[in-house]
Amino acid sequence: MKKCILIFGAALSLFSTEALAQELDFQLRLGSQIATDESFDALQDSNLLPYTTLQFGYAATEGSLQGLRLFLSYDSTTNAPNERLSGSLELDWTRYRFMVGGEYGIMLWNMFRPLAGVGVGYALGDMTVTADDVRSDFTHDVAAEAFAGLDFTIRIATFDSGHVLRFKAGTRIGYQLQTEARFDELESDASGWNRGTNDLGVLDTDGMFWNLGAGLSLAF
Amino acid sequence: MAALVGAAACGPESSDRWDQPLQLVGPLETSAGLAYIEKTTARVYVLDADRKADTALLNISSAKIGNDPGVSAVSADGKTIYVVDRDREVLQLVDATDPSSIEEVELSGDFDRITVDPYGEYVVLSFTGASEENIVARNLNEIGVVSLKGTLGATFTTLSTRANSFSFVEPFSLSGQAQRLMVVLANNEVTVFDLLADNAEDRLREVPLTVSEADTIRVPTQVIFDTSNEGKLDLYLRTQDTDISRVTVRLAPDGATRKLLLSTDKLTVNSPAGMEIVTLSNGSTRLLAISAGTNTFTLVDTVSDVSVTLTLPMSRPAQYLLPFTTTVEEDGELKEEVRVIAYSRDSPLVAIIRPELIPIEGDEPTVGRSVYAIRLEGLPERIELSTAVPDQAIVFHPSSGFSLLNLEKNNDIPIQGGALKDVLFDGTFAYVVYRTLPNLTIFGSDGHPTNFELPLAGTSVHFDSESEVLIVPHVDRLGSFTVLDANDPRPETATVYENVFVNNFLGREN
C-alpha cells in the first residue's frame, strides 16, 4: 500500500507546476487543412491538404499575463499532386506561412490546458506547373487564423537551477483565412524565344484545419 | 499523423472531369481573333493578336459557356460564335469581342449541325443522324430556323426527308417581291424553304428527284443559284455522278401573296463530278460540268440548253473545278475573262478552260486555244487561288514541296522543300507553314521564298490585319501558339504562348 502511494505521489509530481515566472517552448505539429474551394480540385483528388508546423512559444506564468502564450510559427502546406487532363498536366503547390499570435488557456489539474487563440502573418505560395515545359509563379498574401485546442503537459525533469523541463502534447482545431492567391504570371523555364505567361487563376485557401502536436517546454 | 487526421475528415472527391483530356474545336476565325471551344472545361477562348512596340503579342480572353457544348459555328460577319448547349438545349450566341457576353435562344432539341446564312440573317439547326450515346428520342427530320433579325427567336419545322445540307440563296426579288430562300438537299428530294413565308402552307416546296421511293437513291451534292433573270430563280442541282437538274422558281401568277411555283428539267450532262456557272463577257451564262467517267467537260448554254462536250488535255477524268478571273487585252482594251482550272489528284496535268473561246451552236467561232494544259512537277493534292497575286495559284503536293502556278504565263514554278500544311494570302504575300518542318516561309509576288524559324511546326497560319501579326498554332494538347510580326517574323520580335487552354485552370467549374 505504501508503495502504491509512493508511485501515485511520484506520478502527481510529474504534472505539478512550480511557481516559475516564464516558460519557453518548442513544438512540432502535423495536421490537415480541409480545402473548401473547388479550385483545389485542380491540385489533387483529396480535399485534405497535409501540413507541418514548427512553433516557438513564450508564456508568462505569473502576474496579469498568466495564461497567455505568445508564439512564432512557420508552416508548410503542400498538395499530393495528381496528373490532370489525361496526364497532360501536373500542378505542385506549396504554401509557406510565417505567423505570430497568441493563445489564452487555463491550466486544469496541472495537466490539461484548454485554450483559444489567434494568429496573423505572411503567406508565400509557390506553384509549379509541369506540362510540355515547367512553369512557376509565386504569390504573396496576408494570412490569419483562429483556433481552439487542448494541451496536455507532464514534467520530465527538474534541474539543479530550478528550471523545469516538460513534455507537451496537444491538438488544435480552427479556421484559417488568406487573401486570394492569384497565380497570373507563370513563367517558363525554357529559353530561346520570348514566352508569354499563363494566368492559372485564383486559389482560395480559406478553410478549417486540425492538427496534433508535441514538444518540450522549459520553465525558468 | 496527417493521414490519421485525413482519414478522420472525409470530404467529397473531385470530379473525373479534371482527368479527361481537353477536347478542342477550332480554330474558328472570328472578327476578334481565333476562337476555340474547349468541351471538357466548357469554355470558349478568343486569341486576339496584338503588338507592343516591335513585339507581337496575344491577348487571351475566355469565358464559361453551357455545361455540355456541342456543335459550333461562326456568324458570317465573324462577330458571333454559335454554340449548342446540349445540356439545356439552347443555342448560345457568344460575342467574339467579349466572350462573357452571351445571348441564348431556346431550342427544341440538342441539334448537332449548324448552318450559317452567309448573308447574316438566319442560323439553321438540324440533326446529322450520326449515332451518339445517350440519345433518348430525336426527330431527325426536324430543323430549327433562328432569325437574327429583330427579336431573337427560333421556329421549328419537320421536313419530309432528313436534310443532308442547306444552302442559302442570296437576297433577290421575284417580280419585285423580296425573297429569302433556303434550299434543303436530302436523299431523293430537294426542298425550297421560303424563309419569309408567313404561313406553313407556303413555306415549303418539295421537289422529288425520283419517281418512286423504290428507285435508286439519288443524292444531291451541289447546288448553284442563278438569280440573274428577273422573274425567276434557276437552281442547278447536281446529283452525285448521275445528272444535273434545273429547278426554276417563279411566283404564282394569280398574285397570291408569297406562293412559289417550281418546275424541273434535266440538262444533258452525264455523270457530272463537278459543275460551275460562268458568266461570259456578253452577259450570257454557261454551265460547265466535268465528267466523272471520262476526261471530258460539257459546256451548256443555260438559255437554249444547247451543249458542247470537249476533251480535257488530262490523262484522267477531272475531279475538281476552280474558276478564276483574269484580265486580258482585246483591241487595246483591258477586260476581265472568267477561266476555269480543272484538275485531278491522279493527274499531273492541270487543264485551263476558257469558256469565252468555246463556241456553242450558233456562236461566232473565236480565235485562240480554248483548253490547254500545265504540267506539274507532281500530283496535286489541292489547288488554292492566290488572293495576293493576280493569276497565281498554289498547288499542294501530297508528299513534299509545292508549286506556284502562274496562270498568266501558264507555267508552274516548283518549290522544293517540305510538304505544305497551310498557306495564307494576305493581299501582298503568301505565308506558308509545313507539316513537319518548324519553319514559316514568305513568298513575294515573284515567287521568291524567304524562310523563317518557328519553335515547332505550325498547323495553320492566320493573319491579323489590324496589328499586322501572324498567329501560328502548333500541335499541342494544351494549346501552343507563336505570334510573329508579319513584316519582320524573326524570333526576336515573336512571342510563344504555351498551355493557353490551361489558363484559368484553377477557376474551371466541375
Side-chain angles (χ1 to χ4, degrees):
Chain A
M1 183 66 175
K2 186 178 178 184
K3 190 176 179 182
C4 287
I5 291 170
L6 282 173
I7 292 171
F8 183 69
L12 271 181
S13 70
L14 287 174
F15 307 120
S16 67
T17 54
E18 290 75 15
L20 297 173
Q22 300 173 89
E23 185 178 86
L24 288 173
D25 66 72
F26 163 79
Q27 294 182 26
L28 172 68
R29 300 191 165 278
L30 299 174
S32 269
Q33 179 189 326
I34 302 170
T36 54
D37 189 74
E38 282 188 349
S39 55
F40 271 99
D41 291 340
L43 299 180
Q44 62 176 42
D45 291 339
S46 169
N47 290 327
L48 301 170
L49 293 155
Y51 73 91
T52 307
T53 305
L54 295 176
Q55 196 172 81
F56 299 91
Y58 168 80
T61 54
E62 275 190 340
S64 59
L65 294 178
Q66 187 176 6
L68 181 67
R69 173 175 173 268
L70 302 176
F71 64 83
L72 281 171
S73 71
Y74 157 83
D75 64 54
S76 100
T77 310
T78 190
N79 69 316
N82 291 105
E83 288 186 340
R84 293 293 182 233
L85 304 178
S86 196
S88 304
L89 185 72
E90 188 176 289
L91 285 77
D92 294 273
W93 169 79
T94 303
R95 184 197 56 191
Y96 307 97
R97 287 193 314 172
F98 303 89
M99 305 283 282
V100 295
E103 60 186 37
Y104 183 78
I106 301 167
M107 189 64 80
L108 300 175
W109 306 299
N110 290 331
M111 194 163 49
F112 298 107
R113 182 170 173 261
L115 57 93
V118 293
V120 66
Y122 161 74
L124 170 70
D126 177 2
M127 181 76 78
T128 300
V129 177
T130 306
D132 292 332
D133 60 354
V134 178
R135 289 170 176 256
S136 57
D137 189 18
F138 297 94
T139 56
H140 307 276
D141 294 285
V142 176
E145 63 182 16
F147 55 85
L150 179 69
D151 277 351
F152 167 78
T153 304
I154 59 172
R155 192 181 65 181
I156 297 174
T158 302
F159 299 104
D160 293 343
S161 59
H163 298 172
V164 177
L165 184 67
R166 294 193 183 89
F167 170 78
K168 280 188 166 184
T171 183
R172 304 281 187 277
I173 185 165
Y175 194 87
Q176 70 110 37
L177 297 162
Q178 185 183 306
T179 51
E180 286 188 337
R182 174 170 277 281
F183 295 92
D184 58 355
E185 288 189 1
L186 272 94
E187 294 181 350
S188 173
D189 62 351
S191 58
W193 289 73
N194 301 323
R195 288 176 193 272
T197 58
N198 288 122
D199 181 353
L200 212 57
V202 170
L203 198 61
D204 182 354
T205 60
D206 293 356
M208 298 282 293
F209 67 89
W210 185 31
N211 65 49
L212 296 171
L216 298 171
S217 71
L218 183 67
F220 54 93
Chain B
M1 190 180 295
L4 181 70
V5 176
C10 296
E13 301 300 321
S14 64
S15 161
D16 289 342
R17 200 168 179 176
W18 293 93
D19 298 328
Q20 294 173 7
L22 297 179
Q23 296 179 67
L24 289 163
V25 177
L28 307 170
E29 296 259 14
T30 75
S31 59
L34 294 188
Y36 288 82
I37 307 291
E38 205 296 288
K39 292 188 172 185
T40 303
T41 56
R43 294 192 78 83
V44 59
Y45 291 83
V46 178
L47 316 180
D48 181 20
D50 198 0
R51 63 164 65 231
K52 192 174 183 181
D54 293 333
T55 305
L57 300 171
L58 207 52
N59 294 323
I60 302 164
S61 53
S62 79
K64 180 86 171 66
I65 53 176
N67 282 335
D68 188 9
V71 66
S72 54
V74 176
S75 65
D77 61 7
K79 293 179 179 174
T80 308
I81 304 163
Y82 305 117
V83 189
V84 171
D85 178 14
R86 296 180 293 194
D87 183 33
R88 293 185 299 124
E89 297 186 348
V90 296
L91 177 69
Q92 296 192 303
L93 290 78
V94 182
D95 185 341
T97 310
D98 176 13
S100 60
S101 172
I102 299 175
E103 289 185 280
E104 291 188 342
V105 177
E106 282 192 27
L107 301 177
S108 60
D110 55 344
F111 294 100
D112 63 358
R113 177 169 51 199
I114 297 177
T115 309
V116 176
D117 172 15
Y119 308 99
E121 296 181 337
Y122 298 95
V123 175
V124 174
L125 297 119
S126 57
F127 292 110
T128 61
S131 61
E132 288 182 38
E133 294 178 359
N134 305 322
I135 297 174
V136 178
R138 279 177 170 175
N139 173 0
L140 294 180
N141 288 13
E142 187 176 23
I143 66 168
V145 178
V146 176
S147 174
L148 304 172
K149 300 180 299 181
T151 308
L152 205 57
T155 55
F156 302 94
T157 306
T158 295
L159 303 172
S160 299
T161 314
R162 189 206 323 162
N164 290 336
S165 63
F166 302 83
S167 293
F168 289 86
V169 186
E170 63 181 301
F172 72 107
S173 61
L174 278 179
S175 305
Q177 190 180 75
Q179 300 289 336
R180 279 314 320 269
L181 301 182
M182 174 176 74
V183 174
V184 185
L185 303 185
N187 289 358
N188 293 335
E189 189 170 80
V190 170
T191 303
V192 176
F193 194 117
D194 185 350
L195 293 161
L196 300 181
D198 52 9
N199 63 82
E201 193 179 326
D202 292 336
R203 186 167 293 132
L204 304 179
R205 289 285 177 270
E206 293 164 351
V207 181
L209 300 178
T210 52
V211 176
S212 162
E213 287 282 313
D215 291 348
T216 305
I217 292 174
R218 299 182 66 205
V219 182
T221 52
Q222 186 184 4
V223 62
I224 299 177
F225 308 108
D226 181 2
T227 58
S228 61
N229 300 300
E230 176 64 22
K232 69 166 186 172
L233 162 73
D234 283 326
L235 189 159
Y236 294 92
L237 188 72
R238 179 171 65 87
T239 47
Q240 185 61 48
D241 298 348
T242 309
D243 56 32
I244 295 174
S245 303
R246 176 171 50 207
V247 179
T248 301
V249 181
R250 289 186 170 87
L251 271 184
D254 60 359
T257 51
R258 294 201 62 85
K259 203 174 187 67
L260 299 175
L261 293 181
L262 274 57
S263 59
T264 309
D265 63 324
K266 265 187 194 172
L267 302 183
T268 51
V269 178
N270 289 323
S271 305
M275 66 175 182
E276 290 292 340
I277 290 278
V278 291
T279 302
L280 305 186
S281 55
N282 63 9
S284 61
T285 54
R286 300 276 158 86
L287 184 137
L288 193 158
I290 45 176
S291 167
T294 62
N295 57 336
T296 60
F297 71 96
T298 300
L299 200 64
V300 183
D301 184 314
T302 59
V303 176
S304 67
D305 287 353
V306 177
S307 65
V308 59
T309 299
L310 299 173
T311 301
L312 285 168
M314 298 169 62
S315 53
R316 297 292 178 88
Q319 296 169 325
Y320 305 98
L321 290 173
L322 192 60
F324 67 97
T325 303
T326 187
T327 305
V328 294
E329 189 177 337
E330 192 175 288
D331 300 332
E333 287 185 10
L334 292 177
K335 69 169 195 174
E336 289 194 332
E337 180 190 323
V338 176
R339 299 182 186 182
V340 182
I341 300 171
Y343 69 98
S344 163
R345 288 183 172 189
D346 302 321
S347 169
L349 287 168
V350 170
I352 310 294
I353 303 167
R354 298 181 65 182
E356 286 275 1
L357 302 186
I358 300 173
I360 298 184
E361 189 179 42
D363 286 350
E364 288 286 326
T366 53
V367 180
R369 287 187 303 162
S370 55
V371 186
Y372 51 91
I374 300 174
R375 184 177 290 277
L376 303 175
E377 287 282 315
L379 296 176
E381 187 176 55
R382 67 183 165 105
I383 299 178
E384 276 190 24
L385 290 168
S386 168
T387 56
V389 183
D391 297 323
Q392 190 184 74
I394 192 160
V395 183
F396 292 62
H397 296 302
S399 51
S400 65
F402 53 98
S403 302
L404 294 175
L405 271 184
N406 186 325
L407 298 168
E408 186 186 13
K409 295 179 179 173
N410 300 319
N411 62 0
D412 115 284
I413 304 167
I415 308 291
Q416 189 179 31
L420 287 194
K421 181 67 178 175
D422 191 31
V423 61
L424 170 81
F425 302 101
D426 80 338
T428 309
F429 298 104
Y431 302 93
V432 162
V433 289
Y434 302 88
R435 288 181 193 165
T436 55
L437 300 175
N439 290 97
L440 168 83
T441 300
I442 299 180
F443 287 91
S445 57
D446 58 354
H448 176 71
T450 309
N451 298 318
F452 298 92
E453 286 176 48
L454 290 174
L456 297 163
T459 58
S460 56
V461 55
H462 308 267
F463 179 64
D464 184 278
S465 56
E466 192 179 327
S467 58
E468 297 193 331
V469 165
L470 295 170
I471 307 177
V472 179
H474 306 291
V475 176
D476 182 46
R477 293 169 296 180
L478 303 177
S480 173
F481 300 84
T482 300
V483 286
L484 308 107
D485 183 341
N487 303 312
D488 182 21
R490 293 173 298 124
E492 291 77 12
T493 58
T495 307
V496 181
Y497 290 85
E498 290 154 316
N499 309 328
V500 166
F501 304 121
V502 173
N503 278 324
N504 201 42
F505 191 67
L506 296 175
R508 64 188 289 203
E509 298 167 38
N510 275 315

